[in-house]
């Protein structure tokens, strides 16, 4: 399902945070939303999720303005995995089952179809072996995958991930990126992923979108991103490499000016 952002502007206490941002997320793609701290990424996600409604412009999901979606319809069309996750004392299967909440009948009981979605989410994330474990006993990487399974059980066409590899070790980070790509290829889901690590974004994303000083400064492929001056000017780094061999980052002590 396509996501289209059109001329979005938003502020907090009259201070502009996002200014006239427009870009598209193609159906079935992985789009990395990048930018330094304070660039406006979190505010943009808040607008998309309906948490912040006092913005101007349009956000279209499958051609429909998300403002017109009821909370239940929004939850049936987009799921979000936040960066900071709790550690509730519930079993993994129960946690993953929470993803089916927007679809449950009035009696609140899981239908056979709901249970099938939960089983699939546990299986594809490799969390089936932990389904009886309590979430607060899991490692950081396992807990991240348990919540990702809950997000996938929601079975929405659009999945939003906010820094999904934060706080994970190197091996777990790459495993998570590979898992995301596997899910995308098998299901055709659309992913919008907030990412700070540019090499990771270049490895997994079909396109990068970059905010800088509250405005959109780049939207395009990884190769175009590398060929641009965005890494140097906006992130104060030099980037080189490719997907096969990986990417090297060198800090710039005297970054170029825009």
């Amino acid at each position: 399902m396509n996501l289209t952002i059109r001329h979005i502007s938003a502020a907090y206490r009259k201070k502009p945070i996002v200014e006239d941002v427009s870009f598209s997320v193609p159906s079935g793609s992985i789009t990395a939303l990048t930018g330094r701290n304070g660039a406006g990424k979190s505010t943009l996600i808040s607008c998309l999720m309906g948490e912040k409604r006092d913005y101007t412009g349009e956000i279209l999901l499958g051609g429909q303005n998300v403002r017109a979606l009821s909370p239940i319809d929004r939850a049936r069309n987009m799921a979000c995995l936040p960066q900071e996750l709790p550690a509730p004392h519930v079993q993994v299967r129960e946690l993953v089952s929470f993803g089916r909440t927007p679809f449950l009948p009035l009696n609140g009981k899981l239908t056979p179809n709901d249970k099938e979605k939960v089983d699939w989410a546990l299986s594809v994330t490799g969390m089936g072996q932990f389904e009886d474990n309590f979430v607060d006993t899991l490692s950081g990487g396992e807990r991240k995958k348990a919540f990702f399974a809950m997000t996938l059980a929601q079975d929405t066409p659009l999945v939003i991930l906010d820094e999904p590899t934060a706080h994970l070790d190197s091996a777990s980070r790459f495993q998570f990126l590979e898992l995301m790509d596997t899910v995308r290829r098998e299901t055709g889901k659309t992913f919008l992923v907030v990412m700070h690590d540019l090499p990771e974004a270049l490895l997994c994303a079909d396109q990068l979108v970059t905010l800088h000083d509250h405005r959109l400064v780049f939207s395009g492929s990884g190769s175009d991103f590398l060929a641009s001056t965005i890494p140097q000017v906006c992130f104060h780094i030099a980037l080189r490499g490719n997907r096969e061999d990986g990417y090297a980052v060198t800090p710039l002590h005297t970054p170029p000016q825009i």
Side-chain angles (χ1 to χ4, degrees), residues 34-255:
T34 64
R36 300 185 68 179
N37 292 336
K41 304 184 299 299
S42 296
T43 297
L44 191 61
I45 297 301
S46 294
C47 294
L48 177 58
M49 294 305 300
E51 298 163 357
K52 183 171 179 59
R53 300 187 62 84
D54 57 336
Y55 62 86
T56 60
E58 287 185 322
I59 301 175
L60 305 177
L61 183 61
Q64 184 175 11
N65 195 319
V66 299
R67 284 190 187 275
L69 296 176
S70 66
I72 192 72
D73 284 336
R74 190 187 295 267
R76 288 176 174 177
N77 282 280
M78 61 179 80
C80 183
L81 179 66
Q83 180 178 342
E84 300 298 330
L85 300 173
H89 188 66
V90 299
Q91 291 178 306
V92 169
R93 174 170 282 276
E94 182 179 3
L95 176 75
V96 178
S97 298
F98 292 158
R100 299 306 301 161
T101 300
F103 302 92
L104 293 183
L106 291 177
N107 62 17
K109 294 184 178 180
L110 295 176
T111 66
N113 179 64
D114 293 319
K115 293 177 181 178
E116 189 175 302
K117 301 287 187 185
V118 172
D119 288 341
W120 170 79
L122 286 166
S123 175
V124 74
T125 57
M127 292 304 293
Q129 60 183 316
F130 300 102
E131 64 176 291
D132 295 326
N133 292 39
F134 285 91
V135 176
D136 55 355
T137 67
L138 301 176
S139 69
E142 292 164 351
R143 183 155 54 98
K144 181 77 73 169
K145 286 200 290 185
F147 274 92
F148 187 41
M150 182 186 73
T151 304
L152 293 178
Q154 198 168 330
D155 196 23
T156 57
L158 174 64
V159 179
I160 302 163
L161 307 177
D162 189 356
E163 287 292 322
T165 59
H167 313 307
L168 299 182
D169 60 54
S170 296
S172 297
R173 293 167 78 95
F174 287 113
Q175 288 170 4
F176 192 96
L177 296 179
E178 290 174 359
L179 171 59
M180 177 175 63
D181 188 54
T182 296
V183 171
R184 183 273 301 264
R185 286 186 284 104
E186 292 184 357
T187 66
K189 292 182 183 299
T190 304
F191 283 88
L192 176 62
V193 189
V194 178
M195 305 187 78
H196 275 120
D197 191 295
L198 293 179
E200 287 186 5
L202 289 166
L203 281 173
C204 75
D206 300 297
Q207 71 167 358
L208 279 75
V209 171
T210 302
L211 301 183
H212 184 68
D213 287 342
H214 317 303
R215 294 182 176 274
L216 180 78
V217 295
F218 180 84
S219 178
S221 67
S223 58
D224 287 344
F225 183 85
L226 279 175
S228 74
T229 60
I230 296 299
Q232 298 95 316
V233 173
C234 300
F235 296 91
H236 301 172
I237 61 172
L239 264 175
R240 64 181 184 278
N242 54 63
R243 283 195 171 186
E244 290 71 29
D245 302 320
Y247 297 91
V249 177
T250 304
L252 299 179
H253 299 293
T254 308

